[in-house]
Every structure is written in C-alpha cells, then in structure tokens.
Amino acid sequence: MKPSIVKAQPGDVEKDASMIKQKQMMAAHYERLSNAPETGEKVASTFVPGNLNELLMCFDLVNNLPEVNAIQSGLRKKSGQYIMEAERAGHSEDVCTYVKSDIGMMMKGNIGPNGRELPKPDVLLLSYTGCFTFLKWFELLREQYKCPTIFLQTPYMADGKVTPNMIQYMVKQFKETVIPTLEEVSGVKFDIDRLREYLAKSAKAEDDLVYILETGKNKPSPIDAYFGGIYYIGPIFGAFRGTDDAIDYYKFLREEVDQRMLKGLGPVTPDGPMGEEKYRLVVEGPPNYTSFRQFWKMFYEEGATVVASSYTKVGGTYDYGFRHDPDRPLESLAEYCLGVYTNRSLPMRIDMLTDYINEYEADGLLINSIKSCNSFSAGQLLIMREVEKRTGKPAAFIETDLVDPRYFSAANVKNRLESYFQMVEQKRSGKGAAA
Amino acid sequence: MSNPTTTEIVARAQELYEDLNFTAAREWKDAEPGRKVIGYLPVYIPRELIHAAGFLPLGIMGGGDNLEVIHGDAYYQSYICRIPRSTVELGVSGRVDFVDGMLFPSICDVIRNLSGMWKMLFPEVYSKYFDVPQTYKDEVGGTFYIGEMRELLHDLEELAGRKITDDDINASIAAYNENRQLVNELYALRAAVPWQAPASEAYLIIRAGLALPVQKPSVMLRQYIDAAKAEERPMKDNSKVVVTGMFCEQPPLNLIKSLELSGCYVVDDDFMLVSRWLTKDVPTDGDPVYELSQAFLHHSMSTAAKYEPDLAEKGQFLVRSVRETGAEGVIFASTSFCDPALLDRPMLQNVLKDADIPFIAFKYAENSGQMQPIREQAGTFVDSIKLWSAA
C-alpha cells in the first residue's frame, strides 16, 4: 500500500494512512479479545512498561492491557463516568485514574472500545516495572477475577546501571515462576526457539521505530513525537511486538515519514498538514486523553511540534540502543523491563531530556505533569530546573490528568502554553532574562 | 537511682521527637572522630547493617507539624503527599547536614524518586534507594535481597574504611532483637491495659528511639514499661481500635491524642514499622545476611507497600490484629495522596466486611492541624461500636 494522507472517518479528522492502519490493527485486536470466549483463546492482562508480549505469544495467550483500555475510555469520553463509579465504590479520589477507569469499566460490564464485552483474563501477569501502582492495581483485579496472578518484579535502576544481581533475579523469576505458571495456565509447553523467533521480529520493528522517532531531528520535523507519537508506539508497546504485523506497520510508517521528510513537510494533525514549524519542543510526561485533540490543537495552532518525548519511551528506550536479542532471550527481556523510562532514576531522566533538547535542537522543555502518576510526576519540578540549567533553554510546567476530565482545564493549559511560547520567542530574540 | 516516672520518660521522648535539628544524633557523632550517621526513611531498612559498621542509623520520618516547609513545596506539586517535601526541607535547610548517608526504602514511587532527587540536591552525600524483594522464594527473592544487602554492606564498608565482619553484624542483630522484643512488649502491654500505656506515649517512646543508638532506646523502653506497669491510671470507657495506613508519613501527635480523646484506645497500629518489622528474633549464630533475608521473606509484617502473593491471605493481618488485641474496630487513617495505602484500602475494607469488623476511614497529613472533624468522626465511630455491642 502506498503511504498517503487520507481522510478518515469521521470526515472532519485528518489522519495519515499509517494512523488508519494502526487503528485497524487495534480494532482487530479488540475483536480478537472479544471473540476469545468463542475461539477459546486464553487472555493475559498485563502492562505496557514491562510488556512481555513475545513471551505471552509463546503460550498462545492474547495480550490485554488495562492501561490501553483506560486510554480508549478516555479518548471516547467514557472514563469520567467510570472513575466516578469507582469512587462511589470506595476508591479514593487521590489515586491513579487509570486504575479507577479500569475498575469502573469493569463495574459497568467491561465494554471495550469496540462496544463488546472484554473477556475475563485467564491470568494476570503483574509485570511490576517502574510504577508502584501496578502492584496494587493487579491486587485489585485479582480480587475481582480470582484468576492466577504472576508477579514479576523489575528492580529499579536507581544508580543508573543494571547490575548482575538485577538480571539474575529477573531471569530466575522467569524460570521459576513466570514460565511455569504460563505453561500451567495455557497448557502450552514453553519453546525457547519460538521466543527467539519473536524477539528477532521485535528487533526488526524496533529498528524502524527508532528511525521514525529520530526523524524528529530534521527541520521541520516530519513527525510529532508526542501526539503523533501515541499512534506510532501503539503497536509496539501493545499487542503486536514480535509479530509480522508490527514489522509491516513500522516499515509502512517509515516510508510515509520518509516521504514527508523528502517533501520538507511537517506532521499531519487532525486538521490537516502542519503549517510552519515555529517551535520545537521536548515534552516530558504522559498526555491528557480526555481532551486529546483539543490539547494537541493548542500546540499545532501555534506552530509547535514536539520533536521528542519521554512518554514514547515508557514501553522501551530503544533509541538508547536496546534491542530484543534472540541470542539472550530471557536476559534480553529482563534488560527490556529494566530499561523502560519510568524505571530509570531521576538523574537518568534528566540526562535523557537534556540530550533530547540538544540532539533534537529543541527550543525548550514542556512538562505535562499528571495528577494520577507519581512515578512520572514526583520530582518533575527538579527535573525542569535542572534541564533548564543545563541547556539554557526555557522550560514550562502544565498540569492535567490522564483520563480524568475533571483535571483538564483547557483555559489554564492554553494560557500557560501561550505564555511559554512567548517566553521562547523572548529567549530567541535575546530579550528575556536567562531562565 | 529510682526508675523515672512515665511523665519524665515521655517528656524526654517528646524533646527528642520535637528536635528537628537532631541534636542527640549530632552529639553522638561529635563525641568521637570518625563516627558517621546514616539517615533512613520509612518503612524498613535493615538497620543492623548500619549499626554493624559502627554508624548511627537515624530514622527520618518527615518533618511533622512543627516544621514550616518553605523550600520543600517548590519541589512538589500540590497532589503529592507531604513527607517528601518536608524531607527535602530538612535537607535544604541544613537540619540534616551532619548526615553522611541517606537510604530510601522501596515503598512507593514518590520516595523512590526522592532518592534520585537527593542525589541531585546533595551530590556529596552518599544516598541509596534500597530495593527489597516482592517475591518470597528463598532462591529467587531471597538471593536478590542478599545481593542488595551485600551491595549496601560494600558501600558501608567504604564509608567506614574497614571490613564489616559477620561477628559485627551478629552483635548488631542481637541488639536489635532486644530492641524489638521491648517494642513488642510495649505493644502487648498497650493492648492489654491501654489506659496504662496510651498510644500517644508509646508513640513518643518508640519514635524517640529512632534518633538514638539502639542501646539507649532499649533502656528507655524498659524504664517506660516498668513505670507504666507500676503507675495506676484510671480506665476510661473507651473502645479498642486498630489504626492502619500510617506506615510512612507519620500522624501529628495531636492526631493520636485526638483519637484517644474521642474515646479510642489505639491498641495496634502501623506507625514506624521499622521498629517491629521483623516478627521473630533473627538468629545470631549463622550467616547474618542470610538470616536477615530469611526474616524479611518469612517473618516480616504486612503493609500496603508489600505485595501479597496469596489472595486468601490479603488483609488477614488486620483481622488477626483485631482478634489478638481484642479491638472492636479499625480506623483507616491514610495520608492524602498515599498511593499504597489508598489503593490498598478498598481491599482491606472488603476483608473486614467479610470478617464483620466495623471500620471508618479518613485522611490526614503530617501537618494536619484541624482535629475537630477527626475527633467527631472517631467519636461517632466509638459510639456506634458501643451501640452495636450493646445490641
């Protein structure tokens, strides 16, 4: 298929052909999940950071990601009622809204984005990577589903390095707990060669993903690495890593991005091709999903493109060189989990954001601080000051939430962004005081 | 010399508790050249290892309600709990400038990230995020934990400039075994005769101990227990309750007193869990690091910061606590924005419902000042317990 910009349905939202392809892949996956009770396929719920899709595929398990379900609920404006439902049932207003959206959705019949009921998981793979909330989230789900729950602990990379003790611990967990339980649940014997095959496929797609993300270094950037990036990471962070579909998707996307680059075009926005690139930003933190399009519009209307983001690294820091390695299958899965963005120490995150600003020649750093997510948010004010100090580029701070519409104040966010863009202008013209 | 009275002991403990310059720890350090102090945050650190290096493990439990947070708020958004901001305040205001190292236990994402912030803010100070296993098989989680403890030991040896021997660690294990026995004795006394050893006093005694070398609080505990047993105090018509959710950011002392004033005898809690984390004595005649790992894996307390692998066991620690202490209800008191406690709470409440144990819940911060709503809520809870009991 030749990449092109096409009109999607509904007609007022313009999308790349790759975005449509991505949506089709996601839709097919949700159908597969909904059909699981009829097809007899078994389902494993797990998380995006520390997602072990290749391993799950070795047991013919279908991957269901509650975070992605919450995102879908947010995009479809359903998360607000789900969250309220969970709060009415006793969940605190203070905690992660992904969790509450997921639990509220379950309470309302567990209807997925395809309008059909999602199946109960046969196993919960609690891959505990970079987020403490995951641990409690799956304890809460276990209480409801009463299904086997596998715990995989990823030690935190606090000192900026992976130690042999960390790798050995994770490999032992794979061998002694994770794999035997998956065998038991699925009835499928583990075949390490099958895992190697999937990992090799993962690495191919990862090469293309990195190529695509790094095109943000061009001027203008042919991609938006935050809003557009959400689409780009979908297949590889979700249920497609290790598949031919993922390889095809990233090859297709790469061609599409190459074409835009050759023509000197910017990213495609929901309102059509991006106009002049006035501001190049690095963004730290997840986006808001309940007003995703409105949020994005605040950027592209001002000519702001996000050239690099940390959020697109929560499912793997491939641009820092990591690739799944079929020659070291279990060690490689361990290294993957250890390296995801939110499992990196604060100093590592500061280094990474500083590198992005320098390498992508960005005008500054914008932090979207998320009320729900302490893993991201705690320490971001220090990150902001430190990155400003190191790069000399202005930084700004806005606050929203992932999927709770009560915490998205469009007027406040827009005001702050406008002030920030003025600050960038002042800095460029040398009028502003040093940040 | 006669044994001091509870009033005298509590007054000394309160002095230590209120001293946010940690004068006693400073004096200990200054008393001999080469002494070092290692601070640690809640919930649990194997203090035996620090002690074995000849260092003072100093419990830093936040700034409480007497610390004005000026700088710390600039580091955190409004939706993050208070203990990290008051801890940063202690750091940037120079109150812990004598501390040679800081340990940040694995408890939640906020404290985890604080470990990185500390490295940035105080690069000259040794700091470490201390990871613990959330899986409890000897050869898996146990081996990992032994590795983590050996790494910590290695760092402590570098700081000490000497090797830490197994004998050193075993001697420290013995000292902490004794301390834990005394803490447990105090808890048992409080559960049996709470009017003789009120929670607010027990809190101060144990809290003060976190700022002293382990032998001193053991003496203080012994004296307090003896004095509390000897003194006659009036028994009130209070209800026995278990308080849970306060394992990290500590409640203001007034909150504990308010619960007591509202008619509660707090007979069990999860304040300062480090003092009684290990539920059995650690053997002192084996490989000490292995023995500490075994204790952690198989004989340690339950809290929201730990993964519970067995669904049937989830929350049962609270039911057991209620049954063993004769409590009539549970108060969930959680810090605002505390992910572990607040995410855990609905599951624990379901367990209590199944066990037919009444409960209430509220939130607090370490600097909460307005106690009237808490007093009213707790008082109503106690009244309702009494009504139900009568029925």
Side-chain angles (χ1 to χ4, degrees):
Chain A
M1 186 167 32
K2 190 181 172 187
S4 61
I5 296 171
V6 293
K7 284 275 183 186
Q9 297 297 322
D12 64 334
V13 180
E14 203 156 330
K15 290 182 186 294
D16 288 343
S18 65
M19 287 180 179
I20 301 209
K21 185 174 170 68
Q22 192 258 28
K23 275 182 77 92
Q24 287 165 347
M25 289 166 75
M26 296 292 283
H29 182 69
Y30 273 110
E31 284 301 304
R32 187 179 170 199
L33 276 172
S34 294
N35 291 335
E38 287 79 46
T39 61
E41 286 194 296
K42 290 191 173 168
V43 174
S45 287
T46 191
F47 292 110
V48 169
N51 174 11
L52 301 169
N53 197 48
E54 300 89 345
L55 192 63
L56 292 177
M57 289 196 301
C58 289
F59 300 97
D60 301 325
L61 290 163
V62 191
N63 163 331
N64 182 24
L65 299 157
E67 295 147 290
V68 177
N69 298 341
I71 290 170
Q72 293 292 336
S73 298
L75 291 168
R76 285 167 173 73
K77 314 274 186 206
K78 288 184 181 297
S79 55
Q81 69 189 76
Y82 291 156
I83 290 165
M84 304 265 274
E85 193 73 27
E87 288 178 0
R88 274 195 291 271
H91 293 270
S92 169
E93 64 272 24
D94 289 356
V95 301
C96 174
T97 51
Y98 270 172
V99 178
K100 287 183 288 187
S101 176
D102 186 37
I103 286 172
M105 184 172 100
M106 196 160 56
M107 293 166 73
K108 300 295 273 183
N110 219 17
I111 305 301
N114 55 354
R116 297 176 60 199
E117 187 178 348
L118 293 175
K120 290 180 180 170
D122 296 283
V123 61
L124 298 168
L125 175 53
L126 203 184
S127 180
Y128 165 50
T129 303
C131 170
F132 185 87
T133 294
F134 286 164
L135 194 155
K136 294 287 126 186
W137 189 347
F138 268 28
E139 281 192 348
L140 284 160
L141 293 191
R142 180 183 63 179
E143 187 189 42
Q144 297 301 315
Y145 290 123
K146 297 184 172 53
C147 64
T149 305
I150 307 169
F151 187 94
L152 172 71
Q153 182 180 5
T154 301
Y156 182 57
M157 225 203 296
D159 294 326
K161 62 183 182 202
V162 171
T163 65
N165 193 38
M166 293 174 178
I167 298 283
Q168 285 156 16
Y169 179 39
M170 294 198 68
V171 170
K172 271 189 191 167
Q173 290 180 80
F174 285 130
K175 287 182 176 169
E176 305 210 7
T177 313
V178 179
I179 290 171
T181 315
L182 289 174
E183 281 182 328
E184 201 175 308
V185 168
S186 66
V188 176
K189 185 86 186 140
F190 177 59
D191 175 357
I192 199 156
D193 290 328
R194 195 174 165 191
L195 179 61
R196 289 181 206 278
E197 190 187 319
Y198 294 141
L199 293 176
K201 288 182 182 180
S202 296
K204 274 190 187 171
E206 287 156 7
D207 283 343
D208 279 337
L209 173 69
V210 171
Y211 175 87
I212 292 153
L213 292 176
E214 291 190 339
T215 60
K217 291 177 182 172
N218 288 277
K219 290 185 180 177
S221 167
I223 63 162
D224 184 288
Y226 190 53
F227 298 102
I230 304 300
Y231 290 90
Y232 304 156
I233 58 176
I236 207 156
F237 283 12
F240 294 92
R241 208 181 64 214
T243 66
D244 289 325
D245 281 344
I247 294 174
D248 292 346
Y249 169 76
Y250 286 101
K251 188 165 173 273
F252 179 81
L253 177 60
R254 180 174 174 158
E255 286 170 13
E256 184 181 87
V257 170
D258 270 342
Q259 283 195 13
R260 279 208 301 273
M261 203 159 54
L262 280 171
K263 292 175 186 167
L265 296 174
V268 175
T269 75
D271 286 329
M274 175 93 179
E276 183 195 353
E277 180 186 278
K278 292 185 189 162
Y279 309 107
R280 296 168 61 82
L281 305 180
V282 171
V283 174
E284 145 78 9
N288 164 271
Y289 285 105
T290 51
S291 302
F292 186 77
R293 192 176 160 195
Q294 187 184 10
F295 192 27
W296 190 355
K297 192 171 185 175
M298 291 177 194
F299 288 71
Y300 63 73
E301 275 190 344
E302 297 286 341
T305 302
V306 181
V307 291
S309 70
S310 56
Y311 186 61
T312 49
K313 314 297 155 32
V314 292
T317 47
Y318 303 110
D319 58 338
Y320 271 57
F322 172 80
R323 294 290 181 279
H324 284 91
D325 181 357
D327 293 332
R328 301 166 53 252
L330 297 181
E331 291 80 1
S332 175
L333 286 175
E335 284 163 6
Y336 159 73
C337 292
L338 285 157
V340 301
Y341 182 72
T342 46
N343 201 51
R344 291 173 169 245
S345 70
L346 212 84
M348 293 175 86
R349 286 169 61 188
I350 290 170
D351 288 344
M352 207 164 166
L353 293 166
T354 303
D355 288 349
Y356 285 160
I357 288 186
N358 292 331
E359 289 171 13
Y360 288 74
E361 296 182 59
D363 294 302
L365 173 70
L366 177 75
I367 296 181
N368 182 32
S369 186
I370 292 295
K371 176 186 172 284
S372 272
C373 186
N374 285 340
S375 176
F376 257 108
S377 301
Q380 278 178 328
L381 285 158
L382 179 65
I383 289 177
M384 181 176 76
R385 287 196 281 273
E386 190 63 25
V387 174
E388 261 189 337
K389 193 170 81 184
R390 291 189 193 178
T391 62
K393 300 283 173 65
F397 205 83
I398 54 174
E399 291 182 321
T400 70
D401 190 55
L402 293 162
V403 292
D404 192 338
R406 296 171 298 185
Y407 294 97
F408 185 81
S409 168
N412 282 343
V413 172
K414 196 165 177 15
N415 276 344
R416 286 211 184 183
L417 285 175
E418 284 171 358
S419 303
Y420 179 55
F421 296 136
Q422 284 172 14
M423 192 159 70
V424 171
E425 287 291 353
Q426 282 181 340
K427 187 88 181 170
R428 279 180 183 162
S429 62
K431 288 178 191 164
Chain B
M1 199 168 80
S2 63
N3 195 43
T5 63
T6 54
T7 308
E8 289 164 341
I9 301 164
V10 170
R12 171 64 182 141
Q14 183 145 3
E15 198 183 313
L16 286 160
Y17 160 75
E18 288 174 352
D19 179 8
L20 291 172
N21 285 308
F22 304 99
T23 309
R26 286 176 187 270
E27 286 172 356
W28 177 88
K29 181 175 173 174
D30 292 343
E32 276 184 34
R35 282 185 167 180
K36 288 190 164 60
V37 176
I38 305 292
Y40 62 88
L41 269 68
V43 176
Y44 172 72
I45 284 287
R47 295 178 295 176
E48 292 85 347
L49 303 184
I50 303 169
H51 183 263
F55 301 163
L56 171 65
L58 174 66
I60 295 178
M61 304 282 120
D65 55 347
N66 286 324
L67 181 70
E68 189 183 0
V69 172
I70 299 165
H71 310 285
D73 280 339
Y75 291 88
Y76 287 102
Q77 301 89 316
S78 56
Y79 48 78
I80 287 176
C81 57
R82 192 169 189 269
I83 185 171
R85 54 188 88 223
S86 65
T87 304
V88 167
E89 186 72 29
L90 291 172
V92 297
S93 64
R95 288 177 172 88
V96 289
D97 57 3
F98 65 104
V99 169
D100 302 282
M102 281 285 278
L103 297 178
F104 298 86
S106 169
I107 169 167
C108 71
D109 296 328
V110 172
I111 300 300
R112 185 198 71 177
N113 288 6
L114 179 58
S115 71
M117 290 175 69
W118 211 265
K119 283 183 196 291
M120 303 296 302
L121 290 168
F122 309 103
E124 72 288 357
V125 175
Y126 167 73
S127 68
K128 185 174 177 63
Y129 171 76
F130 186 71
D131 218 344
V132 295
Q134 297 276 5
T135 69
Y136 310 108
K137 282 186 182 176
D138 290 355
E139 67 279 14
V140 186
T143 305
F144 170 68
Y145 189 44
I146 287 170
E148 291 300 293
M149 282 194 285
R150 294 230 175 268
E151 265 187 38
L152 176 61
L153 270 175
H154 169 265
D155 293 351
L156 293 170
E157 284 175 345
E158 284 202 340
L159 282 170
R162 70 173 176 87
K163 182 93 185 135
I164 301 168
T165 66
D166 283 0
D167 287 346
D168 293 333
I169 306 172
N170 276 325
S172 298
I173 288 174
Y176 280 95
N177 279 348
E178 186 199 2
N179 187 260
R180 264 193 309 278
Q181 286 161 9
L182 288 161
V183 170
N184 289 335
E185 192 180 333
L186 175 55
Y187 268 76
L189 175 71
R190 209 179 89 195
V193 283
W195 54 94
Q196 293 290 100
S200 50
E201 291 186 5
Y203 179 84
L204 284 172
I205 302 297
I206 296 168
R207 175 78 184 261
L210 303 185
L212 299 169
V214 64
Q215 292 80 3
K216 285 193 178 181
S218 293
V219 171
M220 192 187 269
L221 279 159
R222 181 76 272 151
Q223 288 177 336
Y224 178 80
I225 291 165
D226 290 346
K229 282 179 179 170
E231 290 170 19
E232 281 292 322
R233 292 181 173 190
M235 186 176 83
K236 294 178 186 166
D237 185 26
N238 285 5
S239 288
K240 287 183 171 184
V241 298
V242 171
V243 176
T244 187
M246 296 173 156
F247 48 84
C248 181
E249 184 172 317
Q250 296 296 292
L253 187 61
N254 270 342
L255 196 159
I256 306 172
K257 287 182 176 173
S258 294
L259 292 178
E260 292 176 325
L261 283 171
S262 64
C264 299
Y265 280 136
V266 178
V267 290
D268 198 5
D269 58 65
D270 53 2
F271 310 144
M272 301 164 292
L273 283 179
V274 68
S275 302
R276 55 196 194 113
W277 182 261
L278 304 179
T279 53
K280 284 189 177 176
D281 277 355
V282 182
T284 54
D285 55 356
D287 171 350
V289 174
Y290 172 78
E291 296 296 351
L292 283 168
S293 80
Q294 287 291 299
F296 183 93
L297 294 182
H298 306 301
H299 308 293
S300 60
M301 300 198 79
S302 293
T303 184
K306 261 173 93 173
Y307 177 63
E308 172 50 67
D310 180 4
L311 175 59
E313 187 52 31
K314 182 73 193 173
Q316 291 305 318
F317 74 97
L318 261 185
V319 176
R320 281 194 289 272
S321 169
V322 168
R323 305 289 186 234
E324 286 164 14
T325 58
E328 296 156 277
V330 172
I331 294 179
F332 288 91
S334 316
T335 311
S336 296
F337 307 110
C338 175
D339 279 342
L342 292 170
L343 286 161
D344 221 31
R345 197 175 69 185
M347 290 180 277
L348 300 182
Q349 290 179 340
N350 286 339
V351 170
L352 294 187
K353 275 181 209 163
D354 289 346
D356 206 19
I357 296 169
F359 58 84
I360 55 163
F362 60 77
K363 291 190 290 186
Y364 72 95
E366 62 176 10
N367 64 334
S368 292
Q370 177 56 266
M371 293 299 155
Q372 187 60 23
I374 289 174
R375 265 208 293 273
E376 283 172 9
Q377 201 181 345
T380 308
F381 181 55
V382 168
D383 288 346
S384 64
I385 286 175
K386 289 189 185 301
L387 278 171
W388 293 335
S389 301

